Amino acid sequence: MTDVAVDTDELRKTYVTSSGVTEAVAGLTLRVGRGELFGLLGPNGAGKTTTLGMLTTRIAPTAGTATVAGADVVGDPIAVKRAIGVVPQYNNLDRQLSALENLEFSGRYAGLAARAARKRAMELLELFNMEARAGAKINEMSGGQAQRVMIARALMRRPAILFLDEPTSGLDPQTRVNLWDVLRRMRADGQTIVLSTHYMEEAESLCDRIAIIDRGTVLACDALAALKEATLLETVLTLTYEEDADADKIVTQVRGLSGVTSAEASGPGLRVFTRAPEGVLAAVVRVSHDAGLALADVRVVRPSLETVFLNLTGREYRE
């Protein structure tokens, strides 16, 4: 990757508490390209927020290195802060100020003159379709409106890299989809975005590449198609026959077909696992027809990001 925006090498964060040592991030190595929308996907407690905390200089690493926009997060945190915008997981806007005032004050804090700060604030409110709410106080806004103001605030200084920590958590589906559209537009304009999320659909819909992390380590990192290919997950073919059909009588034959990983009878039907679904489906239909089994329905379930994720992280409940 010739143009690297974020680069970490064996990044670690260890906490020592009365109950023992907890390794929140355990040797994390990542590279994010300039102009990329990069996703950190993991269950609760995976280390996503701690990772973003270190990359944005809020949390000091225990070991390893990280550079953001070419600056070391430990050696030159001021340069890192000048290069980034951060949208935290929880609303930390000043609730007694209006949307416009929150943005203006952020711009002034970043060194903009009063007129330039107001101009930039209005540009961003228009970008997020919030100009009509410019004078409204934050405590009068919906969660989705406040979230748009938080993203606008993070963009006031035109950051090279935007970090978002679970930006759509708790939002209704309509607001979430609208925010996705905003992020896609920003990505199309060349904005580098690092997005932490535990929503499969969000990562699958938005991200150029996805790092699946759990227990502080990277389990896999690539584009979605490559993740599916690398984990060698099967497509599941579910064939349902007419009532009283005896699918058991063809299970052995189907298991012997080229491209079939396994097959099992399931009620009045058959479940077939394969990595070559097109050819296998046609062969199973022929076998079914020759055995006198009349098909009522066929379903093809291909590997998704969710199946990749569960395959890597397991299915046990998380606190």
Side-chain angles (χ1 to χ4, degrees):
M1 194 177 294
T2 57
D3 211 349
V4 178
V6 177
D7 193 357
T8 76
D9 183 27
E10 288 295 315
L11 194 63
R12 295 178 182 272
K13 181 60 184 179
T14 302
Y15 293 100
V16 180
T17 66
S18 57
S19 57
V21 176
T22 300
E23 198 163 33
V25 176
L28 187 141
T29 298
L30 288 174
R31 281 189 174 184
V32 178
R34 183 180 178 187
E36 186 174 23
L37 203 166
F38 186 90
L40 292 174
L41 175 66
N44 291 333
K48 304 186 301 295
T49 296
T50 302
T51 298
L52 290 192
M54 289 188 285
L55 294 178
T56 58
T57 76
R58 187 174 56 83
I59 297 173
T62 303
T65 62
T67 60
V68 174
D72 187 278
V73 298
V74 175
D76 197 355
I78 300 227
V80 172
K81 288 176 182 176
R82 286 174 177 160
I84 65 174
V86 182
V87 180
Q89 189 171 355
Y90 301 106
N91 183 349
N92 64 353
L93 295 166
D94 191 320
R95 296 174 184 271
Q96 298 306 310
L97 298 180
S98 69
L100 179 60
E101 288 168 337
N102 267 277
L103 298 190
E104 282 187 297
F105 287 173
S106 177
R108 295 300 305 276
Y109 183 75
L112 295 179
R115 181 176 296 179
R118 175 166 286 254
K119 181 175 183 292
R120 176 64 174 160
M122 288 307 301
E123 287 174 353
L124 289 167
L125 289 171
E126 289 174 11
L127 173 68
F128 289 99
N129 197 28
M130 287 287 293
E131 63 269 30
R133 302 286 285 161
K137 288 185 168 53
I138 301 303
N139 59 10
E140 300 170 348
M141 294 184 176
S142 68
Q145 290 172 336
Q147 193 72 342
R148 279 183 276 171
V149 175
M150 288 174 66
I151 298 175
R153 181 186 61 180
L155 294 172
M156 277 295 293
R157 66 174 74 198
R158 292 182 171 86
I161 305 164
L162 178 65
F163 291 91
L164 302 120
D165 191 3
E166 302 197 8
T168 63
S169 180
L171 298 183
D172 61 79
Q174 291 85 354
T175 303
R176 182 177 299 136
V177 169
N178 286 332
L179 277 174
W180 290 358
D181 289 339
V182 169
L183 294 178
R184 288 190 189 99
R185 290 200 302 270
M186 291 166 55
R187 163 67 179 84
D189 289 338
Q191 177 70 57
T192 304
I193 301 172
V194 178
L195 167 72
S196 162
T197 184
H198 61 262
Y199 292 124
M200 309 293 160
E201 185 184 2
E202 185 160 270
E204 192 165 4
S205 175
L206 294 176
C207 298
D208 299 309
R209 288 190 304 135
I210 301 164
I212 298 177
I213 67 174
D214 194 20
R215 307 186 196 282
T217 63
V218 176
L219 303 179
C221 179
D222 216 324
L224 178 58
L227 287 173
K228 292 178 182 177
E229 183 69 24
T231 48
L232 299 177
L233 296 176
E234 293 101 352
T235 292
V236 182
L237 311 176
T238 303
L239 294 86
T240 303
Y241 302 111
E242 299 291 351
E243 282 189 44
D244 301 324
D246 182 12
D248 280 311
K249 68 182 181 180
I250 64 168
V251 169
T252 300
Q253 186 178 355
V254 169
R255 286 174 180 164
L257 293 173
S258 176
V260 172
T261 305
S262 65
E264 61 188 25
S266 176
L270 197 65
R271 280 161 45 93
V272 182
F273 299 83
T274 177
R275 296 190 185 100
E278 287 76 14
V280 167
L281 178 58
V284 175
V285 169
R286 283 196 301 271
V287 169
S288 302
H289 179 268
D290 293 344
L293 302 177
L295 278 169
D297 185 45
V298 176
R299 291 181 61 231
V300 179
V301 180
R302 298 182 184 274
S304 65
L305 180 57
E306 182 174 9
T307 58
V308 172
F309 180 82
L310 292 174
N311 184 64
L312 291 169
T313 65
R315 295 173 178 267
E316 70 271 15
Y317 287 107
R318 303 297 179 91
E319 296 296 333

